[in-house]
Amino acid sequence: MSKKICLAQTISELNFILKKTNKELVCIPLNLEVLLFCKLNKINFIDPISLLDNNFHKNSIETVDEFIKSVKFTNQLDYNIKIEFLGWLRFRTQSILFVDQ
């Protein structure tokens, strides 16, 4: 038996997907907020923790840290802007590694 799955990064994204289909979907939440939303609203989901082991977590942290350290800014930017951008970049890179897994 095959299942239709959807990846959701935000609650609004998940609601949009659910409104656009009448099929039974199983969600793979890509952040804690969506996971909790699924639990509270009794939406079928696959807990990513059941898919990944500690090695994945350790390796992804190391990969992201290496990537972040390699980022060089060519312009003199305010420290706060650099930190904000690196935080965003870290989040996106971790999401990509998860989806790629």
Side-chain angles (χ1 to χ4, degrees):
M1 180 175 114
S2 65
K3 294 182 181 183
K4 305 283 185 193
I5 64 167
C6 70
L7 300 172
Q9 189 168 286
T10 64
I11 293 172
S12 61
E13 189 175 71
L14 178 57
N15 282 329
F16 175 80
I17 293 167
L18 294 174
K19 286 179 186 174
K20 294 294 181 180
T21 185
N22 58 0
K23 297 180 181 180
E24 181 81 19
L25 293 177
V26 177
C27 177
I28 298 179
L30 297 181
N31 70 22
L32 182 60
E33 183 182 25
V34 177
L35 184 134
L36 293 174
F37 182 81
C38 289
K39 280 187 176 186
L40 291 173
N41 292 286
K42 300 191 183 347
I43 297 170
N44 289 333
F45 71 96
I46 297 172
D47 191 346
I49 285 209
S50 67
L51 302 174
L52 306 171
D53 61 7
N54 282 344
N55 286 330
F56 170 79
H57 184 65
K58 181 181 173 213
N59 292 337
S60 66
I61 288 174
E62 290 171 355
T63 301
V64 170
D65 283 345
E66 286 176 26
F67 177 62
I68 294 298
K69 288 177 185 174
S70 75
V71 173
K72 304 291 184 231
F73 294 95
T74 58
N75 295 335
Q76 190 67 14
L77 293 175
D78 183 67
Y79 177 76
N80 293 322
I81 293 172
K82 288 180 185 178
I83 295 301
E84 185 73 24
F85 176 73
L86 291 174
W88 176 85
L89 194 57
R90 177 177 283 113
F91 172 78
R92 289 294 177 196
T93 306
Q94 290 170 338
S95 295
I96 290 166
L97 290 173
F98 173 75
V99 170
D100 187 48
Q101 180 59 29

